[in-house]
Amino acid sequence: MSKVAVIYWSGTGNTEALAGFVADGVSEAGGEADVVQVSDFDKASLASYDAFALGCPAMGSEELEYDEFQPFWDDTKGSFGEKKVALFGSYEWAEGEWMDTWKADAADAGVNVVDTLIVYDAPDAEGETQAKALGAKLV
Ligand SMILES: Cc1cc2nc3c(=O)[nH]c(=O)nc-3n(C[C@H](O)[C@H](O)[C@H](O)COP(=O)(O)O)c2cc1C
């Protein structure tokens, strides 16, 4: 069974809601998901997962959250190898440029990004469906 880590940062709960739907998608596709806030994730456990869904909203000025998520990303982006990785997050003020930057950074680091998802504000029914589909792609 594919074991997927859903690791996220969320200030007001929108990306957290997406993380839950991504995990639902993993489970519905027959995988097993651990949903963990980035501050609680033990980087030593990275090797025990088959795939990863990483969630962070647009923060700063079209940036990843700088205090917890950006350091996590910087520390781990060289460690995913060929494992499948999906990136997701919520935004509200602009058009999603932070995800373009994040994708480009992942490509530079050689991360195997299978898909990305950006959702405006709190996920609605369409966002829920998209997040579940994202999770299923990791199984
Ligand atoms: C400090 C701060 C910076 C933000 N910067 C951006 C931004 O650059 N672009 C954008 O589209 N939204 C920006 N937002 C809006 C958040 O991305 C949006 O509210 C998102 O839904 C928050 O997700 P969360 O509930 O998971 O924290 C910012 C919000 C805060 C509080």
Side-chain angles (χ1 to χ4, degrees), residues 8-18 55-66 89-98 119-123:
Y8 71 95
W9 184 94
S10 185
T12 56
N14 297 331
T15 303
E16 182 171 39
L18 285 172
C56 183
M59 295 299 287
S61 176
E62 296 303 317
E63 291 156 319
L64 296 172
E65 188 276 328
Y66 76 97
S90 173
Y91 69 102
E92 211 176 336
W93 299 351
E95 306 296 328
E97 293 92 326
W98 105 103
V119 170
Y120 178 79
D121 201 2

Side-chain angles (χ1 to χ4, degrees), residues 24 35 38 62 73 76 79 86 100 104 114 119 124 136:
D24 290 345
V35 186
V38 69
E62 296 303 317
W73 171 246
T76 57
S79 309
D100 295 336
V114 293
V119 170
D124 59 9

Side-chain angles (χ1 to χ4, degrees), residues 77-130:
K77 64 187 175 187
S79 309
F80 297 113
E82 290 303 309
K83 291 178 182 177
K84 291 183 188 176
V85 176
L87 310 177
F88 67 95
S90 173
Y91 69 102
E92 211 176 336
W93 299 351
E95 306 296 328
E97 293 92 326
W98 105 103
M99 183 58 80
D100 295 336
T101 306
W102 191 5
K103 271 194 271 189
D105 191 28
D108 285 348
V111 179
N112 178 23
V113 175
V114 293
D115 206 353
T116 64
L117 174 65
I118 66 171
V119 170
Y120 178 79
D121 201 2
D124 59 9
E126 186 189 359
E128 175 178 341
T129 301
Q130 291 172 326

Side-chain angles (χ1 to χ4, degrees), residues 18-86:
L18 285 172
F21 295 138
V22 170
D24 290 345
V26 170
S27 306
E28 287 168 15
E32 177 189 337
D34 286 343
V35 186
V36 196
Q37 286 190 41
V38 69
S39 55
D40 293 336
F41 185 73
D42 176 9
K43 280 177 264 184
S45 71
L46 212 73
S48 69
Y49 290 97
D50 302 305
F52 300 86
L54 308 180
C56 183
M59 295 299 287
S61 176
E62 296 303 317
E63 291 156 319
L64 296 172
E65 188 276 328
Y66 76 97
D67 198 28
E68 295 176 351
F69 198 89
Q70 182 76 57
F72 161 79
W73 171 246
D74 290 339
D75 282 356
T76 57
K77 64 187 175 187
S79 309
F80 297 113
E82 290 303 309
K83 291 178 182 177
K84 291 183 188 176
V85 176

